[in-house]
Amino acid sequence: MLTGSLVALITPMNRSGSVDWPALEQLVEYHIQAGTDALVVAGTTGESVTLSEDELFTLFDRTLEYCNGRIPVIAGCGSNNTAHAKELAKQISKLGVTAGLSVTPYYNKPTQEGLYQHYAAIGEYSGLPQILYNVPGRTGCDLKPETVARLAGNFGICGVKEATGNLSRVAQLRELCGRNFALYSGDDATACEFMLKGGNGVISVTANIAANEMSRLCTYALAGNQCAALEIDERLRPLHQELFIESNPIPVKWAAARMGLINYADLRLPLTLLSSTAQAIVEAALVRAELI
């Protein structure tokens, strides 16, 4: 089971719109040196929906090459088309990634039975270990704990990224799914408490720019050192909030560029650059977190 700080990695881009491969290699080194526990590539924060399939697989290949076995890689492989998700996961299973991260089908609004059958079909067909990803604020559907429990441990499904911010679900999921099923927070603002309540880690946006701090926070929280974990969390709290002042990953890419971690803050449409008003707010949060 992977535990600790798993970064929802940004995809650096050049001003021409192409992926900035040297910047990606630099990011990989930054996270390895900072103690990040795994890279989650091509998730929401990685702008997966604007990457072509060729770019997606090149992104996985290059990331694995740069990592060279030094850190686990989890590949975003979700789709709201079950047949497409099955084929994508099957192809990814051949690359050598540790697991896939599979978001709930967005826009379709499936029932709980539909969600169960969607994930069962992906797991059975692909053979790729799957982390479920529940983020109803972006997808329009909520994967209920009871449905997660039906899937847990079956079809290669090994964990869930729970991004509702509802901390009551930690105990509920643990009771329903058992100790060997990984519970990851997908909400930086509540991740510390999520782990203190029994979660196994966080798939973090904040870790893109505060990798060492998030690594130490997770280490303390998972060891039950509440005071030390909360001290770091309090310093990062403005970041947890302001990195969502505009749609993710707009603010975090601007912050990463401001810190020199990537060359440009560029994104692909329909996302646009961080507004000047928001830039001042994110910069203040970086100062409060002692990152600049």
Side-chain angles (χ1 to χ4, degrees):
M1 181 190 295
L2 295 176
T3 62
S5 178
L6 290 65
V7 63
L9 194 68
I10 56 177
T11 302
M13 295 177 182
N14 295 302
R15 287 180 174 164
S16 64
S18 61
V19 178
D20 187 341
W21 301 115
L24 177 66
E25 185 173 13
Q26 180 178 311
L27 282 179
V28 169
E29 289 301 323
Y30 164 69
H31 283 289
I32 290 172
Q33 297 305 316
T36 298
D37 293 292
L39 306 179
V40 181
V41 181
T44 304
T45 310
E47 298 175 76
S48 59
V49 293
T50 62
L51 297 172
S52 70
E53 197 154 295
D54 284 345
E55 287 177 317
L56 191 67
F57 280 91
T58 303
L59 181 63
F60 296 145
D61 285 337
R62 292 285 187 98
T63 303
L64 287 163
E65 176 190 338
Y66 301 150
C67 291
N68 195 25
R70 294 175 293 166
I71 185 173
V73 175
I74 296 167
C77 58
S79 173
N80 63 343
N81 176 336
T82 304
H84 179 238
K86 287 168 56 179
E87 291 296 338
L88 191 59
K90 184 73 168 180
Q91 293 179 60
I92 289 171
S93 70
K94 303 170 185 176
L95 300 180
V97 301
T98 299
L101 179 72
S102 188
V103 70
T104 53
Y106 38 89
Y107 189 77
N108 310 52
K109 292 191 174 181
T111 63
Q112 295 302 302
E113 181 61 28
L115 289 168
Y116 172 80
Q117 292 193 28
H118 172 79
Y119 284 119
I122 295 169
E124 272 192 325
Y125 182 77
S126 71
L128 179 69
Q130 296 279 313
I131 298 170
L132 312 175
Y133 179 14
N134 186 37
V135 57
R138 294 193 78 135
T139 63
C141 70
D142 185 8
L143 182 65
K144 300 292 186 182
E146 295 81 5
T147 307
V148 176
R150 289 180 68 193
L151 292 162
N154 300 311
F155 317 111
I157 295 166
C158 57
V160 63
K161 176 184 177 182
E162 176 61 42
T164 61
N166 181 355
L167 289 168
S168 69
R169 286 198 172 180
V170 184
Q172 189 178 7
L173 284 164
R174 180 61 71 213
E175 181 180 356
L176 290 170
C177 301
R179 302 299 309 176
N180 295 324
F181 190 73
L183 304 182
Y184 303 112
S185 170
D187 177 57
D188 280 305
T190 57
C192 184
E193 193 171 351
F194 185 100
M195 287 181 279
L196 290 170
K197 288 180 176 291
N200 301 109
V202 56
I203 298 178
S204 170
V205 174
T206 300
N208 277 286
I209 56 171
N212 180 261
E213 291 81 357
M214 285 301 296
S215 176
R216 290 189 295 115
L217 186 159
C218 291
T219 297
Y220 288 133
L222 293 173
N225 189 337
Q226 180 173 337
C227 290
L230 290 174
E231 181 180 350
I232 298 172
D233 190 53
E234 183 61 29
R235 181 155 52 87
L236 297 178
R237 186 156 299 281
L239 276 181
H240 297 334
Q241 178 177 334
E242 306 305 353
L243 289 181
F244 294 89
I245 192 170
E246 292 181 9
S247 295
N248 179 48
I250 294 173
V252 72
K253 288 191 93 170
W254 183 88
R258 173 67 179 82
M259 293 173 61
L261 295 172
I262 58 176
N263 298 315
Y264 309 107
D266 290 72
L267 310 97
R268 288 184 179 172
L269 288 170
L271 298 182
T272 53
L273 294 175
L274 188 66
S275 66
S276 57
T277 300
Q279 287 177 23
I281 295 170
V282 175
E283 175 133 357
L286 289 170
V287 171
R288 288 182 62 186
E290 302 174 12
L291 294 175
I292 58 172

